[in-house]
Structure formats: structure tokens, C-alpha cells
């Protein structure tokens, strides 16, 4: 982004409640036929800084054609004027990016060139969206419809009968800060643009987007503008263009816009490859593609609201990363040169600090072919540009966020078997990243504080250190960066060991214990150290500096590779469980889960990361925290916390817990609802908790998951009976609180028996997840 007290078993069972799980009567009334796309609400998260978009896209498409209303990231449900329908949006980002080439239909004379001034009003009552389709009726009397292919956006405008039906193509304004633009009218059906962009939290870049728009019929007039000056009849300009149609007899105009990050020829080739179909044909194909993608997961049980929030989250999980190459395989590399992907699809847009925790694992499970190409694309970033990415947008590094997120992202791919054939190439890039810092001439910062971390065992917190490069600085977040580096070292050690690099494995495993260097025995919490090694800043763990988007309370559990070590530092299992209970406000949670989630855990708006001593389900540092109880002998509390957090996902515009961050929060919802969660990101450990559905059928790709199908059952799961009594894997009793990928790979059935009270299941020390050594 950029998102205690011990309680007896019987008390927990008596007092627990959940709004998530339907009554038996509701489950009996469930319908399993119909289209899964009908269960998706793209408006979820478009209010209160969820920063999602309601427009049209296909899975992982380069184009996300969606309305912009004036919010810095695109669409805000509380606003009621459309500035244009633009080509590029990222689901749930916290800073402005994209919004390239906003297009708006108008009538009458073209006199304004600022889209804030010529914006069109609309009402939500005359607006709808579904996967691959968006429609809105504008106050001008024009109906606008959007759909998409991977590399094109298709628009259909139905005008009133008029001789001045216009389409405005604005190349000079976007969600980012355009650094230059030009527009050319090529003939009486075609407009071409070139847009150079900067942005994403800070002015990084630049990058260039090339577009070509082909209309379904000739326009009768045209013009361009530079700044506020409109020149009728002109064919070139630096700001934008308008084209005019006579709709006295034919009121409909369709247009297809192709996008390329390579060059104008690439945009034209993408238009030839994916254009040429009617709007209705493209819409039908997009819907069919989404239906196939959503059909990889079939759920039974649960109230209609629960199913809608689940499938809407599954939909958002498949929106990114995005195709970055053209139809002919060409893409713009991080060396600013044109390359051609051979044998794989090149992807881009890497929100790695977010996605390495949830979405990477979900895609490895449900979309392994695409996930393999995504991992290969990240390795290609290193081979083309010289270093692995941190937060990449298009062909540029933004340096947004901190730590070393690319390592657990790629080691997840390794553990899931997605790197076969290029494991050593990936490992060489990871080892270079883990042991060094990018050169001064490279735009990325990598592990910026690596020299001190390797020499002293911690990344120093230097709050006033000037930025060496644009973006965030690891030195400004020394405490959390130390934890993130240590986690990366732990999972890299496992990959090194698996590939036979034993000396490297031992070295990284030793560095993985560096989390201990920022633990302050005097306070019992992690604290930042300054360059001299002294603990610095306030001793109050809710206000200590040096933690990125969080507090020491929230980061204390971000050592998933060695939770027993953290427990020992805190003072043992009893002290750890007491602290966990305080952290989750567990007593209040049992009395009223939904209210506790909304009034105790949610500390403010989507950007309220700081000065909190409670769980923050709205942001990434706490995504794994509920599963800590699996390591402290109280696994039933994981179910209590997870199910309460799931109540924050609802089926309206406010139904997103903070920024979605390219599917991160959505993937958390999907995985936690199924009852399988990646509790050691970068490794292959899946924690178990009670599913919220009676049955979930996962259709898996046999090339990567030999079983081909996994059925997860929890018959009778409900508010009154949701505690695990036992687990069976293919009929055999399973006593541990986790599964490894090797076991999951060939598994056909994962069966939960649930009941009204916590049981002894998973409470033995041998049931806890492993320590990565």
C-alpha cells in the first residue's frame, strides 16, 4: 500500500460469532447455476480509498479502460462527473498513475480543452459494470459503453441526433503528470498519439505510451488543440484532438484504441492483431474469458453477499500484473531498448512489497502458466536492465516502498515449481541483489542499506538522510527494513539449498537471524538503531519511528520464518499469546467480531498506518499476523481473527479494506475464505483455518498441479459451528496446522470437520509451522 489474556477453549466457543457464514436455510436456497461474472461487482473499493476501478479489462490485460472522475487514482464513487474514459488503471494503488488518453463524447462546439471543465455529469442509477464491460448514461444524453481485449480498449457511444457529435481525445492530461504529448489525425477514421509520462508517488520515469484509435466510420470534421487554443481542421497538435460525426441518421459510433509501450508501429500492430471486431463481439469474448477464469474456483454455501464479495475479490486478483509486450512479442526493456520475448509473455507492473504476501501465491495456484511468465519477466528485468525491480511501473523503476520484496516473490515461484529451466538464472539475479547495491548510475535502489546490514546485522534508521535516488529510502525505515531483509535472506537460503549452493545457503540462513539485532529487551519490541548501533526514537512501540507504514506493534509478527524465535524473545508462549490477544483485542472480538473489526482494528482512513497498538487489517505488514496463533498452540484464535477480518469485505463501493494494491487485499480474502493461506511468503507453507464455504472446488492446471483438482470441504460451517475439530487429507487424518506445497500438489481432497467449540486439533507443539533454518 502505498496498504491479552488467555481464554479458555469453552469460552471462545460460546462467545464467538460471525456475520460471514450463512444459515443452513440460506445455504439450502443457494443456486449454483448462472454466470459467475454476474456475482462480480467492479464498484467494490471505489469509495474510501480502495482505489479500484469499475471499467473494462480482461485478465492481466495491458488495457484497463475506465472512467476518471477527478480522484487522483481515477474513479471515486462519491464524485459525479466523468472527465474521460482512459486506457490505463492499476487496481488499488495509493498514488496517481496511468489515466492515459482520456476520451469523452460531447455534443456542440468544442471550446474547452481542460477535462475538468468539459467533464460530463452522470448518475449512478444510470451506470453499470461487470467483468469486461462498463456503461454509463451521461447528463448530455450520450450513452457510453466500454469493453476491452488484452491490448485494446473498445468504446461505443450512442449520441442524440445531431450534426455535432464529438469525441475528444486528450493526450495532455492524465492521472500522472504528462511530460509531453502529441496527437496526429492520420485519416478520416484514425488518430494517433504519443504520451510521455512521469509520476507514481514521485516524479519517476519517464516512460512513453503510444496509441492508435480507429473509428467505425468516417468523421465529418476534426481539429486539434495546444493548451487552451483549439484549431479547427488541424491534423497535428500537442494537447489533444476532436473528431465530429453526424448522428442524424446513425447515432452510434464505435472506436478501438490500441496501446503500446514500444512504439507507434507496435500500437498499429496491436490494433491489427486484436481490433476489427464489433463492440458486442469483443464484449462477449471478454465475458467468456472472465467466466473461464472465475470458473477455476466453484464455491457452495455462503450467503449471496459472501459469494459476491468472494468472486469480486477473485476478479480483482486476476487484474495484474499486466501484459507489457506487443502482440509480436516486442517489449521495451529496462535498458530502454526494444527486446522480443520468445516462448513467453512479457508482463510488467510490479507492486512487489504488496503482492509477494498473497497474490503471488494465489496466481501460482490458479494461474501457474501466467505466474511462470510473470516470474520470467522479473528475471528478464534484471537481464535487460542490470538489476531486479523493487516497484516497477511499465519499463521504469519507481523505488516505491522498502525492503527486498522481489526475493520472496521469486522464491515463491521457485517453491511452486514455476522456474524450471531458468532456476539458476533467477538465482544469480537474486544473489546479486542480496549481496550488493545497484550502481549509482542505475535508477533503482535495491537493498539500499545492504552494506550496513551485512556488516552490522541491521539497516540503520537515518531519518534525515537525503534521498540518493527518487522514491523511498530504506534508511528512513531501518527497523522494518531489517525485518524485510531477514525474511528475504531466509527464503533465499531455502532456494540456495535446493539448488545445491550450500555455502550460500548457510550464509543467508545466518543473516536471516538478523531480526534479533533490532529487538530491544528493555521494551520487548523491535526498535530502530541509528548508524552507531544505538536504539533510537521513543520507546513507545505504538509511536517508534523506523517502520514503513506501521508500528512496532504491527511489525512484531513479521518474522514468519522463525516465529518460535520471536516467541522466545517476547518471553515464551504464554507471554506471546497474551500479547497477541491484546493486539487483536481478543476479548472484544469474541463479544462482537464485526464491531471490533470496524471500530478497534480500523484506526481511520486507508492511510492511517501509524500510532496504533492494534492489528491493522487494511495494510500489508499485518496480513500474515492472524496466522501467528498457529505457531503458539492456539489455532482456533486464527479462525476467530480471520473471520472477523473477512467481515470488512462487503459488496458495496466501501467494501474494500484499504488499497487493493494490485490484488493483494483481494487475494487475502480469497485465500482466507478457502482456508489455505501462505503463512511463510517466499516458501511453500500453507496455513490452515476454517473455510467460510461448505465446499470449494479448485480446477488446477495439471502441468503444475498433477492432481488437477482440489476440493476443500467444511460441511456445516456456520456462525455457531466454525471451529476445526479435525482435518483429513485424501481421507487420512492431518494433525498439523499447515500443508507444504509438495503435499498439496497431488492432493484431491482437504476435508475440515467443524464444531461449536475449539478442539485440541493443532495445539501440539509438533503441529506448528516449521522454522526456516
Amino acid at each position: 500500500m502505498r496498504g491479552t489474556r488467555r481464554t479458555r477453549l469453552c469460552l471462545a466457543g460460546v462467545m464467538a460469532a460471525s456475520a460471514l457464514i450463512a444459515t443452513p436455510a440460506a445455504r439450502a436456497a443457494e443456486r449454483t447455476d448462472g454466470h459467475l461474472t454476474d456475482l462480480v461487482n467492479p464498484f467494490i473499493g471505489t469509495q474510501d480509498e480502495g482505489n479500484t476501478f469499475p471499467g473494462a479489462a480482461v485478465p492481466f490485460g495491458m488495457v484497463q479502460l475506465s472512467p476518471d472522475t477527478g480522484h487522483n487514482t481515477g474513479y471515486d464513487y462519491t464524485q459525479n462527473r466523468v472527465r474521460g474514459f482512459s486506457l490505463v488503471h492499476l487496481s488499488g494503488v495509493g498514488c496517481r498513475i496511468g489515466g492515459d488518453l482520456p476520451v469523452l463524447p460531447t455534443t456542440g462546439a468544442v471550446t474547452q480543452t481542460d477535462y475538468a471543465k468539459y467533464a460530463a455529469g452522470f448518475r449512478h442509477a444510470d451506470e453499470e459494470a461487470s467483468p469486461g464491460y462498463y456503461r454509463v448514461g451521461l447528463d448530455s444524453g450520450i450513452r457510453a459503453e466500454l469493453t476491452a481485449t488484452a491490448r485494446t480498449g473498445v468504446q461505443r457511444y450512442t449520441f442524440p441526433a445531431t450534426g455535432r457529435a464529438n469525441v475528444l481525445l486528450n493526450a495532455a492530461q492524465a492521472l500522472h503528470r504528462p511530460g509531453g504529448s502529441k496527437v496526429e489525425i492520420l485519416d478520416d477514421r484514425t488518430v494517433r498519439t504519443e504520451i510521455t509520462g512521469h509520476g507514481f508517488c514521485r516524479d519517476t520515469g519517464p516512460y512513453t505510451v503510444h496509441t492508435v484509435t480507429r473509428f467505425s466510420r468516417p468523421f465529418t470534421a476534426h481539429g486539434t488543440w495546444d493548451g487552451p487554443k483549439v484549431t479547427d481542421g488541424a491534423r497535428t497538435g500537442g494537447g489533444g484532438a476532436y473528431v465530429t460525426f453526424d448522428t442524424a441518421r446513425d447515432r452510434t459510433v464505435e472506436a478501438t484504441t490500441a496501446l503500446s509501450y514500444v512504439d507507434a508501429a507496435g500500437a498499429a500492430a496491436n490494433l491489427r492483431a486484436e481490433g476489427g471486431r464489433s463492440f458486442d463481439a469483443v464484449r462477449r469474448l471478454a465475458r467468456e474469458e472472465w467466466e473461464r477464469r472465475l470458473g477455476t474456483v466453484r464455491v457452495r454455501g455462503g450467503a449471496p453477499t459472501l459469494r459476491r464479495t468472494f468472486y469480486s475479490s477473485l476478479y480483482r486478483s486476476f487484474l495484474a500484473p499486466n501484459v507489457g509486450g506487443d502482440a509480436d512479442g516486442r517489449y521495451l526493456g529496462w535498458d530502454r531498448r526494444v527486446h522480443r520475448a520468445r516462448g513467453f509473455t512479457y508482463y510488467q507492473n510490479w507492486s512487489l512489497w504488496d503482492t509477494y504476501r498473497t497474490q503471488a501465491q494465489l496466481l501460482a495456484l490458479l494461474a501457474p502458466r501466467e505466474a511462470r511468465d510473470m516470474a520470467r519477466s522479473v528475471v528478464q528485468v534484471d537481464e535487460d536492465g542490470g538489476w531486479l525491480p523493487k516497484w516497477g511501473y511499465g519499463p521504469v523503476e519507481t523505488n516505491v516502498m522498502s525492503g527486498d520484496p522481489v526475493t520472496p516473490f521469486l522464491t515463491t515461484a521457485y517453491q511452486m515449481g514455476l522456474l524450471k529451466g531458468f532456476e539458476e538464472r533467477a538465482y544469480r539475479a537474486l544473489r546479486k541483489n542480496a549481496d550488493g547495491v545497484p550502481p549509482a548510475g542505475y535508477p533503482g535502489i535495491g537493498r539500499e542499506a545492504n552494506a550496513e546490514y551485512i556488516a552490522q546485522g541491521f539497516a540503520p534508521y537515518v531519518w534525515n538522510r537525503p534521498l540518493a535516488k527518487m522514491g523511498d529510502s530504506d534508511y528512513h525505515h531501518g527497523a522494518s527494513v531489517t525485518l524485510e531483509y531477514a525474511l528475504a535472506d531466509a527464503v533465499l537460503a531455502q532456494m540456495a539449498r535446493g539448488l545445491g549452493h550450500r555455502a550460500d545457503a548457510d550464509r543467508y540462513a545466518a543473516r536471516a537471524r538478523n531480526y534479533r539485532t533490532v529487538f530491544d529487551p528493555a521494551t520487548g519490541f523491535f526498535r530502530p538503531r541509528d548508524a552507531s548501533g544505538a536504539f533510537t526514537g521513543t520507546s513507545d512501540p505504538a509511536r517508534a519511528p523506523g517502520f514503513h507504514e506501521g508500528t512496532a506493534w504491527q511489525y512484531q509478527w513479521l518474522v514468519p520464518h522463525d516465529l518460535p524465535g520471536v516467541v522466545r524473545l517476547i518471553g515464551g508462549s504464554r507471554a506471546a499469546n497474551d500479547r497477541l490477544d491484546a493486539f487483536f483485542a481478543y476479548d472484544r472480538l469474541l463479544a462482537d467480531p464485526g464491531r471490533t473489526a470496524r471500530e478497534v482494528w480500523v484506526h481511520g482512513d486507508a492511510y492511517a498506518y501509524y500510532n496504533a497498538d492494534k492489528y491493522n487489517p487494511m495494510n500489508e505488514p499485518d496480513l500474515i499476523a492472524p496466522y501467528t496463533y498457529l505457531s503458539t498452540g492456539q489455532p482456533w484464535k486464527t479462525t476467530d481473527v480471520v473471520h472477523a477480518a473477512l467481515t470488512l469485505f462487503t459488496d458495496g463501493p466501501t467494501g474494500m479494506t484499504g488499497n487493493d494494491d494490485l490484488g493483494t487485499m483481494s487475494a487475502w480474502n480469497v485465500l482466507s475464505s478457502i482456508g489455505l493461506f501462505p503463512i511463510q511468503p517466499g516458501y511453500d507453507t500453507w496455513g490452515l483455518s476454517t473455510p467460510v464455504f461448505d465446499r470449494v472446488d479448485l480446477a488446477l492446471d495439471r502441468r503444475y498441479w498433477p492432481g488437477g483438482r482440489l476440493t476443500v470441504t467444511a460441511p456445516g460451517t456456520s456462525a455457531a459451528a466454525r471451529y476445526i475439530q479435525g482435518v483429513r487429507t485424501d481421507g487420512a487424518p492431518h494433525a498439523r496446522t499447515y500443508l507444504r506445497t509438495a503435499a498439496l500438489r497431488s492432493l484431491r481432497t482437504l476435508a475440515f470437520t467443524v464444531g461449536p467449540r475449539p478442539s485440541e486439533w493443532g495445539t501440539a507443539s509438533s503441529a506448528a509451522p516449521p522454522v526456516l533454518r
Side-chain angles (χ1 to χ4, degrees), residues 338-533:
V338 178
H339 302 267
R340 190 181 300 271
R342 301 186 186 277
F344 73 105
T345 298
Y346 183 79
Y347 289 89
Q348 62 188 18
N349 299 338
W350 307 109
S351 182
L352 297 173
W353 188 81
D354 310 291
T355 59
Y356 88 78
R357 307 165 199 258
T358 58
Q359 196 233 16
Q361 293 82 358
L362 182 64
L363 296 188
L365 184 66
L366 299 180
R369 180 174 60 84
E370 291 84 356
R372 173 180 167 83
D373 283 358
M374 291 168 188
R376 187 167 177 180
S377 298
V378 168
V379 174
Q380 201 68 49
V381 168
D382 170 82
E383 294 179 350
D384 293 342
W387 213 267
L388 289 169
K390 196 160 198 171
W391 208 123
Y393 177 72
V396 301
E397 176 63 81
T398 72
N399 291 321
V400 170
M401 306 313 298
S402 58
D404 179 14
V406 71
T407 293
F409 174 85
L410 280 177
T411 60
T412 289
Y414 168 74
Q415 296 294 343
M416 299 299 170
L418 303 181
L419 299 186
K420 290 182 179 178
F422 62 105
E423 300 101 317
E424 288 293 345
R425 289 167 57 189
Y427 181 73
R428 285 195 298 271
L430 286 169
R431 182 172 56 190
K432 178 174 61 177
N433 176 75
D435 291 344
V437 177
Y442 182 77
I445 64 171
R447 289 172 59 145
E448 184 185 21
N450 216 18
E452 295 91 336
Y453 171 82
I454 293 172
Q456 302 172 3
F458 63 90
Y461 167 61
V462 188
W463 70 270
N464 59 350
R465 181 186 175 98
L467 291 175
K469 300 175 183 179
M470 193 61 66
D472 288 307
S473 172
D474 284 359
Y475 290 103
H476 295 173
H477 312 285
S480 59
V481 161
T482 300
L483 302 178
E484 299 265 13
Y485 286 4
L487 168 59
D489 284 339
V491 295
L492 185 55
Q494 303 305 310
M495 181 178 181
R497 188 166 290 117
L499 293 175
H501 303 294
R502 295 184 179 181
D504 283 354
D506 292 344
R507 181 163 53 88
Y508 293 134
R511 278 170 31 180
R513 295 190 289 272
N514 281 347
Y515 73 88
R516 302 173 185 177
T517 66
V518 291
F519 185 82
D520 181 5
T523 64
F525 285 88
F526 295 120
R527 288 183 67 190
R529 291 180 180 269
D530 62 21
S532 72

Side-chain angles (χ1 to χ4, degrees), residues 83-87 98-104 113-115 118 167-185 191-198 207-213 223-227 236-242 257:
R83 298 181 173 188
F85 305 101
S86 63
L87 289 171
D100 299 287
L101 194 63
V103 176
L104 190 72
T113 63
D114 181 351
Y115 66 3
Y118 64 65
V167 177
L168 311 185
L169 300 93
N170 192 333
Q173 292 181 284
L175 299 175
H176 61 81
R177 304 168 183 84
S181 60
K182 64 180 181 180
V183 58
E184 302 172 85
I185 298 176
V191 180
R192 183 168 66 194
T193 72
E194 181 179 301
I195 302 164
T196 298
H198 298 268
Y207 59 92
T208 300
V209 172
H210 304 269
T211 80
V212 59
T213 301
T224 64
W225 67 78
D226 289 278
T236 61
Y242 75 85
T257 301

Side-chain angles (χ1 to χ4, degrees), residues 131 245 250 590:
F245 298 86
D250 184 352
L590 289 179

Side-chain angles (χ1 to χ4, degrees), residues 199-289:
F200 198 71
C201 297
R202 296 164 185 85
D203 281 334
T204 54
Y207 59 92
T208 300
V209 172
H210 304 269
T211 80
V212 59
T213 301
R214 180 76 171 171
F215 289 90
S216 58
R217 58 190 176 99
F219 36 83
T220 59
H222 59 81
T224 64
W225 67 78
D226 289 278
K229 183 181 179 180
V230 179
T231 304
D232 297 332
R235 289 189 172 273
T236 61
Y242 75 85
V243 295
T244 301
F245 298 86
D246 187 338
T247 58
R249 294 184 178 180
D250 184 352
R251 297 174 54 196
T252 300
V253 174
E254 295 185 7
T256 301
T257 301
L259 175 66
S260 172
Y261 288 85
V262 178
D263 53 27
N270 291 340
L271 183 63
R272 289 193 299 271
E274 299 183 14
R277 297 187 181 93
S278 70
F279 182 93
D280 288 331
V282 175
R283 179 188 176 186
R284 182 178 66 254
L285 290 171
R287 181 181 175 91
E288 290 172 356
E289 189 170 352

Side-chain angles (χ1 to χ4, degrees), residues 457-727:
F458 63 90
Y461 167 61
V462 188
W463 70 270
N464 59 350
R465 181 186 175 98
L467 291 175
K469 300 175 183 179
M470 193 61 66
D472 288 307
S473 172
D474 284 359
Y475 290 103
H476 295 173
H477 312 285
S480 59
V481 161
T482 300
L483 302 178
E484 299 265 13
Y485 286 4
L487 168 59
D489 284 339
V491 295
L492 185 55
Q494 303 305 310
M495 181 178 181
R497 188 166 290 117
L499 293 175
H501 303 294
R502 295 184 179 181
D504 283 354
D506 292 344
R507 181 163 53 88
Y508 293 134
R511 278 170 31 180
R513 295 190 289 272
N514 281 347
Y515 73 88
R516 302 173 185 177
T517 66
V518 291
F519 185 82
D520 181 5
T523 64
F525 285 88
F526 295 120
R527 288 183 67 190
R529 291 180 180 269
D530 62 21
S532 72
F535 287 114
T536 186
T538 177
S539 61
D540 181 350
R543 290 173 172 79
F547 294 91
H548 205 165
E549 296 189 356
T551 69
W553 270 99
Q554 292 157 350
Y555 270 94
Q556 65 186 317
W557 316 115
L558 193 61
V559 190
H561 58 285
D562 188 12
L563 282 173
V566 175
V567 168
R568 287 191 294 273
L569 290 175
I570 290 173
S573 294
R574 182 167 186 168
N577 279 318
D578 286 348
R579 187 175 290 184
L580 281 165
D581 290 349
F583 180 61
F584 291 113
Y586 189 71
D587 288 348
R588 297 175 67 176
L589 168 66
L590 289 179
D592 193 336
R595 184 173 182 179
T596 301
R598 283 172 169 74
E599 298 183 6
V600 180
W601 292 350
V602 176
H603 318 294
D605 65 26
Y607 301 106
Y609 311 125
Y610 304 106
N611 301 331
D613 65 351
K614 295 295 184 289
Y615 170 52
N616 181 5
M618 303 168 67
N619 205 19
E620 280 71 14
D622 279 354
L623 291 184
I624 313 169
Y627 296 88
T628 305
Y629 283 119
L630 302 184
S631 295
T632 63
Q634 298 185 335
W636 71 92
K637 293 183 178 179
T638 287
T639 291
D640 288 328
V641 174
V642 167
H643 283 218
L646 286 170
T647 66
L648 295 169
F649 292 86
T650 63
D651 63 349
T654 61
M656 172 63 61
T657 57
N659 297 163
D660 193 33
D661 290 317
L662 275 69
T664 298
M665 294 296 170
S666 292
W668 188 95
N669 181 16
V670 171
L671 291 162
S672 294
S673 296
I674 291 172
L676 276 171
F677 191 85
I679 56 175
Q680 292 179 317
Y683 196 49
D684 68 345
T685 314
W686 302 80
L688 303 178
S689 65
T690 307
V692 299
F693 298 105
D694 285 345
R695 175 170 173 157
V696 180
D697 289 293
L698 305 176
L700 305 177
D701 189 331
R702 290 183 182 275
R703 289 170 294 182
Y704 300 93
W705 300 93
R709 179 171 294 276
L710 174 63
T711 297
V712 182
T713 58
T717 185
S718 70
R722 63 178 190 158
Y723 292 105
I724 298 174
Q725 309 298 300
V727 176

